[in-house]
Amino acid sequence: MKRDLNGEKTESGVAAKLARKNILELEPYRCARDDYSDGVLLDANENAFGPTSLPTKNLDPYDNSNTLERYPDPYQSPLKELFAKYRGHDLTPANIFVGVGSDEAIDLLMRIFCQPGQTDNILITPPTYGMYKVCAKVNDVKILSAPLTPDFDVDVEKTLDTVTDQTKLLFICSPGNPTCKAIPLKDIEAVASSDKYSGLVVVDEAYVDFGTPDQSAISLLAKYPNIVILQTLSKAFGLAGIRCGFCIGAPDVIQLMNNVKAPYNVNVLTSEVAINAMNSIETLEKHVKQTLEQRAIVKERLEALKDIVVKVYPSDSNFLLFRVKDKALELYKTMADNGVVTRFRGNELHCDQCIRVTIGTPEENEKFLDLLQTTWKDLMT
């Protein structure tokens, strides 16, 4: 499928003649801002309580103290030291890759471990984060699927029966998106320890800071060098705008990622704000506490709307997934057009008539709840 800049199909042009077939057929990942960019934005799982840190240097271009004319540290050594200390479990900088969000790490893992256009494959556990499929398609890597159960648990037996000798990467999102649910470490360990699977287990922990400390698969790393963990500053740290993510794994895996990445992939300003964040853990903890308090309130309020809401799923993240009786897509679109943007998830496996809402500030949450009720009433009359 060939598309122009407006997303329309096109069969001509130099790109259509020269590009790889798998790229021409690619269905790109749809970002939250593709559809709506104004209003109360409760659609992208950002931290509504603000960033954990800010730049400290004077950004006057004539002030040479910025040293912006110099290339950044290619391996982000000071940041890795602080991040390793914060996460604990005897991590060292050798265990940590720093990239442009978690997405760079996802792409690098596929480029390093999967032969394009061959029999190599990855396995995903839907419903899950859409970028795994997009990156696989870009890298011309086959995709296997072992769906989660209707309760959003990993079916360990089915997952291990689905992998092949050519499965190089097995992605587990924990807490999941859009499921909100953390996967028990015993299930991750069961996959990592099985003699049925010889590839890497990639545990995506973008939302791990909203759960309990014992939920992180970092605690398994010393025992299982075939586990790698993805984390980010985009969610709990409130720093989606700086695009900074981490891959945590065995030193030999991390070394290959450093060998393959672009020479200066993380810029000076991102690095500076990330370092400030590692020194601002009290602010992080404050914002997480506020988010969890609001999550409990929103969950209780949604559950009380029995004429509208069928189910609110348990959450280990900064968002809630809830099912409405009917018209979820119309409800989502109408609310977005009227200034409160959530995310329709009804097209995902096990998510029929479901909407995902990010936990916002008290004022944002109140607007969401009010508009949900008035919109539902209008749709039903």
Side-chain angles (χ1 to χ4, degrees), residues 79-155:
L79 175 56
K80 288 180 180 179
E81 291 277 2
L82 290 170
F83 186 78
K85 182 179 179 182
Y86 174 62
R87 289 306 188 199
H89 295 286
D90 296 320
L91 291 180
T92 72
N95 295 117
I96 299 166
F97 167 82
V98 184
V100 183
S102 298
D103 296 328
E104 183 182 12
I106 294 168
D107 180 66
L108 282 178
L109 288 168
M110 291 192 195
R111 288 164 58 192
I112 291 167
F113 293 103
C114 300
Q115 288 280 0
Q118 304 296 320
T119 57
D120 283 355
N121 62 71
I122 68 164
L123 184 142
I124 60 173
T125 54
T128 192
Y129 181 41
M131 275 303 293
Y132 310 142
K133 291 180 70 172
V134 172
C135 281
K137 187 68 175 179
V138 168
N139 288 287
D140 201 11
V141 175
K142 296 178 181 178
I143 304 166
L144 302 181
S145 177
L148 299 176
T149 70
D151 291 328
F152 300 140
D153 292 311
V154 170
D155 187 328

Side-chain angles (χ1 to χ4, degrees), residues 256-328:
L256 288 180
M257 297 180 75
N258 284 325
N259 293 349
V260 174
K261 75 174 183 66
Y264 306 104
N265 59 326
V266 178
N267 69 70
V268 170
L269 299 179
T270 289
S271 181
E272 179 187 327
V273 177
I275 288 172
N276 288 349
M278 292 297 106
N279 290 315
S280 305
I281 300 305
E282 286 186 2
T283 302
L284 166 70
E285 293 173 345
K286 173 186 173 185
H287 289 172
V288 168
K289 182 174 182 290
Q290 291 173 310
T291 300
L292 297 184
E293 289 171 349
Q294 285 299 305
R295 187 182 75 190
I297 292 171
V298 175
K299 185 175 189 292
E300 183 178 3
R301 295 276 299 277
L302 284 172
E303 289 175 335
L305 301 177
K306 298 188 183 300
D307 291 340
I308 304 172
V309 178
V310 175
K311 181 174 184 177
V312 182
Y313 286 86
S315 178
D316 297 301
S317 61
N318 68 328
F319 57 93
L320 290 168
L321 184 73
F322 64 99
R323 174 174 283 118
V324 296
K325 289 185 175 181
D326 196 10
K327 299 183 182 296

Side-chain angles (χ1 to χ4, degrees), residues 172-190:
I172 296 175
C173 199
S174 179
N177 179 9
T179 70
C180 316
K181 188 173 187 177
I183 302 301
L185 291 185
K186 65 179 178 59
D187 292 342
I188 295 172
E189 186 170 12

